[in-house]
Amino acid sequence: APVGCIAGPKGTPGPTTPLVSILPSILAARVPEFTPMYSPGSPRPPAGCVTCVFTNCPGHLSLREFDLGLAKEEIWKVDRSIRSLLGGYQGYESKGHAGKFMLMFQDTDSAVAFSMQLQRKLLDEQWDQKTLQQPALTEQKDEAGNVYNRGLSVSVGMCTGVPVMFYFSPVNGQMDYFGPVVNRAARIAGKAVPGQICLSMSTLDALSDEMRDTHCAHSLGSFTLKGIDETHEVFQVLPFDLTARFQWCERMRSGTWTTLDETLSQIPGVMTSEHQYSDRMPWSPTTDLSVCSDGSQGS
């Protein structure tokens, strides 16, 4: 059965190559299961070497304690922003809701560009005034007057590699991915605080020279990631117009913020079958916290 066409390597001119799906006649009943993956207008699930992106929005959980109805309205805006941007960057939603998404990108540049634009878009969202009155969600500006914090933001983590297994569900019409690249992306996301974009060395190395000119990148150091034997260096990136967030994120990391990695559990394709993150957000970024030379916290 015809399943569409595939283009050559990125940047390579020339015609596309038609693809067909071949199955033995005894398995002909499987053909309808694959049809949604390749039907016109449906997003094509990335394959081969991909960049896996996890997002989380723990800020809305503090709103739940304040106003449950408000929290539901605000997190819906986050989901809307993620989904409205995704197609423009050829991203694929594997699963997600309530700000917690597992996304796949065939192109690493697109994954990073999407993540940076998402941070910008959330700054411009029409947040409720009660949301903007929350200590961690108030509007903050740098010395030049640029807004770098306003309302809910997402923490992002990503890793680039080849998944070891794919599963397309004919029930929800979405592809699921499994393997070390997914595990590492989830754990790297666990090192990020709200508004921060963290990525692996494999992702950084895969970026084009043009993409490297659009952002600042800093190493956070090497970490032992839960469930992964070897240590991994984790980098944070932000567009030039949001570089004030580097200090902002460091203040959160140096304070009482509980990183997702400390409570991250049960992500599909990572550990078990549920997609849950930490419900804790005990920090207040308006407090000027620093880390003393002996490793203790000072103010």
Side-chain angles (χ1 to χ4, degrees):
V3 294
C5 298
I6 186 172
K10 184 179 177 181
T12 302
T16 59
T17 301
L19 299 178
V20 296
S21 175
I22 299 176
L23 286 171
S25 56
I26 195 172
L27 297 178
R30 286 187 180 178
V31 172
E33 297 182 8
F34 295 110
T35 301
M37 277 195 290
Y38 305 106
S39 58
S42 297
R44 179 67 61 90
C49 186
V50 302
T51 296
C52 178
V53 175
F54 278 89
T55 70
N56 185 51
C57 184
H60 93 284
L61 298 170
S62 66
L63 287 180
R64 283 170 39 179
E65 300 177 2
F66 171 70
D67 186 325
L68 180 59
L70 175 63
K72 290 180 178 179
E73 292 177 4
E74 300 295 66
I75 197 61
W76 177 82
K77 296 175 184 177
V78 175
D79 289 0
R80 179 184 62 186
S81 293
I82 291 173
R83 288 174 172 140
S84 66
L85 284 177
L86 197 59
Y89 293 88
Q90 293 76 53
Y92 182 82
E93 179 183 336
S94 180
K95 63 191 72 177
H97 71 283
K100 300 174 290 188
F101 284 79
M102 175 178 165
L103 310 171
M104 291 290 173
F105 294 81
Q106 195 73 70
D107 179 66
T108 305
D109 282 8
S110 296
V112 174
F114 162 83
S115 300
M116 294 194 297
Q117 187 58 30
L118 176 60
Q119 303 291 3
R120 295 189 185 102
K121 185 175 178 62
L122 291 175
L123 288 175
D124 295 331
E125 184 58 72
Q126 297 300 310
W127 303 114
D128 191 282
Q129 285 302 310
K130 290 186 290 184
T131 298
L132 298 177
Q133 292 170 1
Q134 298 299 305
L137 308 178
T138 57
E139 182 175 295
Q140 304 287 333
K141 296 182 179 181
D142 61 20
E143 295 179 352
N146 299 313
V147 176
Y148 64 85
N149 187 76
R150 181 179 175 276
L152 294 177
S153 59
V154 294
S155 53
V156 179
M158 66 184 78
C159 186
T160 301
V162 181
V164 299
M165 191 174 79
F166 306 82
Y167 172 71
F168 181 78
S169 171
V171 177
N172 60 21
Q174 292 175 303
M175 183 76 79
D176 203 355
Y177 298 78
F178 304 87
V181 64
V182 178
N183 293 359
R184 289 167 185 159
R187 296 307 174 190
I188 290 170
K191 294 299 181 184
V193 297
Q196 191 172 39
I197 302 169
C198 291
L199 45 82
S200 66
M201 176 67 83
S202 62
T203 300
L204 192 66
D205 286 345
L207 294 176
S208 67
D209 291 339
E210 293 78 9
M211 189 63 200
R212 294 173 191 273
D213 293 335
T214 66
H215 64 266
C216 292
H218 294 290
S219 173
L220 293 175
S222 295
F223 296 87
T224 299
L225 304 177
K226 185 176 180 180
I228 300 173
D229 293 335
E230 67 273 20
T231 60
H232 286 267
E233 188 171 10
V234 176
F235 298 85
Q236 58 177 333
V237 300
L238 283 171
F240 293 118
D241 53 310
L242 291 181
T243 52
R245 275 196 182 173
F246 282 128
Q247 183 178 4
W248 172 263
C249 292
E250 185 59 33
R251 288 165 60 189
M252 287 191 285
R253 297 179 68 86
S254 301
T256 56
W257 164 252
T258 300
T259 63
L260 299 179
D261 191 55
E262 296 173 12
T263 49
L264 188 67
S265 64
Q266 301 182 348
I267 296 179
V270 180
M271 290 298 163
T272 52
S273 60
E274 296 293 324
H275 194 167
Q276 301 172 348
Y277 287 99
S278 169
D279 283 358
R280 300 167 59 189
M281 193 180 76
W283 47 269
S284 176
T286 55
T287 303
D288 188 11
L289 294 172
S290 61
V291 177
C292 301
S293 58
D294 62 356
S296 62
Q297 292 176 3
S299 61

